[in-house]
Amino acid sequence: MSVGYSINDLLTPVVVIDEAVMESNINVAQQYFNRIGRNFRPHIKTHKIPALASLQVAAGAKGINCQKISEAEVFADAGFTDILITFNMLGDARLDRLKELNARVDLQVVADNGFVVDGLATRFGESTPLKVLVECDTGSGRNGVQTPEEAVVLAKQIDQKTGLTFHGLLTYPKPSSEADVETFFAKTIDLLKREGLDCPVVSHGGSPSLFDSDLVKCATEHRAGTYIFNDRSMVRAGMCDYEDCAMHVIATVVSRPTENRAVLDAGSKALTSDLLGFADHGRMIGYPGASIANLSEEHAVVDLSRSENKPQVGERVRIIPNHTCVVSNLFDKLVFHRDGVVTRIEPVSARGQVV
């Protein structure tokens, strides 16, 4: 399928991206960070497509954020030179590739424990110094040192390693926890100053915290990914409206076994089983009472008992997914359009890289 076709001619299930909505999302976010005077570093795990990251950087973003070494390599090959990887790097093969990547680009990584720091030091003792941020758990309950005091201990360990440079602090916060993040960062920065350690980067993150980033006064940059497409979870978080959701999954009604049941051709391999706290698997546009209640691999079962409108067999429906990042990772290519006309088809280049 080439450009110029109607998206109605595409086989379903298919992911389509509205170019105009996506461009607006990029610009609105960047304008906000320009206004508050903060660097913005988009997380490419949402799309994994270099062409889209180019749009984000052209709009004013400072570099990119990756989650895996394989993603970073794909984007380095595409010409990106300012890359942050926000995952503990472990294992000989991964560290060897990290060393090679660090020689090619301006690279930053994170660490939240001494074992990771020691591993990094084994590869960077005699090479180009590697910038390392201390990851802090400011309430999300995931990775990260637990206290400002622990952050300083780890920062000192990094600073003392030949080949490593302590470069700052990073967190992925719990939504609506800006005051807690600011308290953690401010105390840590004060303790670092007492130890004579500079803290060039203070990296805040998350699309659910996107337009509250100004409340974290200590932060120097913000990281976010989902905002480029937006999804049902971002609407719930108050960061956008449904009209700002650029990604739709188009599916076809293939069966209506009962009055109150429809079956779509988009199962867990298209919509993802990641509920993100929702009771169902996406929002069907034009059918506000419908609920995508169950997924198997290729089938979505829709409960129509609360829907006044009921789609018929053969009808194509659009779905706003709960979580765009996972949906992107389920497809080899994404289809882009303007006003329903296909403009381009982009491979999801950094998807499923295992070698």
Side-chain angles (χ1 to χ4, degrees):
M1 185 71 69
S2 60
V3 300
Y5 285 82
S6 167
I7 58 175
N8 292 325
D9 296 327
L10 299 169
L11 292 177
T12 60
V14 62
V15 178
V16 298
I17 308 296
D18 188 311
E19 298 256 25
V21 175
M22 178 185 71
E23 290 165 0
S24 175
N25 292 341
I26 292 171
N27 291 329
V28 166
Q30 188 61 55
Q31 288 165 11
Y32 165 72
F33 288 106
N34 291 347
R35 187 167 64 252
I36 69 172
R38 181 158 302 168
N39 291 330
F40 183 39
R41 183 180 295 275
H43 205 318
I44 59 80
K45 71 181 178 64
T46 298
H47 53 74
K48 298 177 180 269
I49 298 174
L52 301 194
S54 293
L55 294 177
Q56 293 169 305
V57 171
K62 174 181 171 52
I64 59 171
N65 179 187
C66 298
Q67 201 75 346
K68 298 193 282 190
I69 183 69
S70 56
E71 291 175 346
E73 289 166 338
V74 168
F75 279 78
D77 289 344
F80 292 85
T81 57
D82 186 341
I83 299 176
L84 165 67
I85 304 177
T86 46
F87 210 88
N88 285 336
M89 295 285 105
L90 294 165
D92 290 343
R94 186 175 284 108
L95 291 173
D96 287 343
R97 290 164 64 171
L98 195 70
K99 182 177 179 180
E100 293 178 4
L101 183 64
N102 189 56
R104 300 168 54 195
V105 303
D106 182 0
L107 182 65
Q108 302 172 59
V109 300
V110 298
D112 74 346
N113 64 78
F115 187 89
V116 170
V117 171
D118 288 342
L120 293 172
T122 65
R123 291 302 190 281
F124 292 88
E126 301 297 332
S127 61
T128 304
L130 176 68
K131 298 173 182 175
V132 185
L133 307 179
V134 172
E135 184 166 5
C136 306
D137 178 6
T138 57
S140 67
R142 204 165 67 178
N143 289 20
V145 297
Q146 297 299 295
T147 66
E149 291 78 10
E150 291 179 31
V152 173
V153 169
L154 193 60
K156 290 172 66 176
Q157 181 180 345
I158 294 165
D159 183 63
Q160 292 165 3
K161 296 289 187 182
T162 303
L164 303 184
T165 300
F166 169 67
H167 198 58
L169 306 171
L170 175 144
T171 190
Y172 181 78
K174 181 173 65 176
S176 303
S177 65
E178 286 72 28
D180 292 337
V181 174
E182 176 66 12
T183 298
F184 194 111
F185 276 161
K187 183 175 181 180
T188 307
I189 292 168
D190 181 61
L191 293 173
L192 288 168
K193 286 180 179 177
R194 295 183 194 181
E195 295 290 339
L197 289 175
D198 292 330
C199 186
V201 172
V202 181
S203 185
H204 187 222
S207 288
S209 305
L210 188 66
F211 297 114
D212 296 321
S213 186
D214 58 293
L215 300 177
V216 183
K217 304 299 183 184
C218 290
T220 63
E221 76 170 19
H222 192 99
R223 313 176 320 280
T226 307
Y227 82 98
I228 188 173
F229 295 153
N230 286 318
D231 57 21
R232 201 179 178 198
S233 71
M234 287 287 283
V235 176
R236 180 182 59 189
M239 295 295 112
C240 67
D241 296 321
Y242 284 117
E243 292 75 16
D244 302 314
C245 294
M247 174 186 282
H248 293 165
V249 178
I250 303 179
T252 300
V253 179
V254 295
S255 180
R256 280 287 308 280
T258 71
E259 176 65 16
N260 289 323
R261 189 198 317 161
V263 181
L264 311 179
D265 62 352
S268 62
K269 291 180 177 178
L271 289 173
T272 171
S273 55
D274 189 356
L275 287 168
L276 276 188
F278 289 100
D280 52 7
H281 297 273
R283 177 183 172 91
M284 284 176 55
I285 298 173
Y287 298 94
S291 175
I292 304 174
N294 296 295
L295 299 180
S296 53
E297 290 184 58
E298 307 291 353
H299 300 76
V301 176
V302 184
D303 180 357
L304 299 173
S305 60
R306 294 181 180 85
S307 179
E308 293 184 7
N309 300 325
K310 301 182 190 296
Q312 302 303 310
V313 173
E315 186 173 337
R316 296 162 70 93
V317 297
R318 292 201 194 191
I319 302 160
I320 297 175
N322 293 345
H323 192 183
T324 59
C325 305
V326 187
V327 172
S328 297
N329 197 53
L330 293 172
F331 287 82
D332 290 330
K333 299 176 182 179
L334 301 186
V335 178
F336 294 76
H337 72 95
R338 291 187 188 275
D339 298 321
V341 177
V342 175
T343 53
R344 53 180 166 148
I345 299 173
E346 294 282 357
V348 186
S349 303
R351 170 181 180 261
Q353 298 290 324
V354 294
V355 295

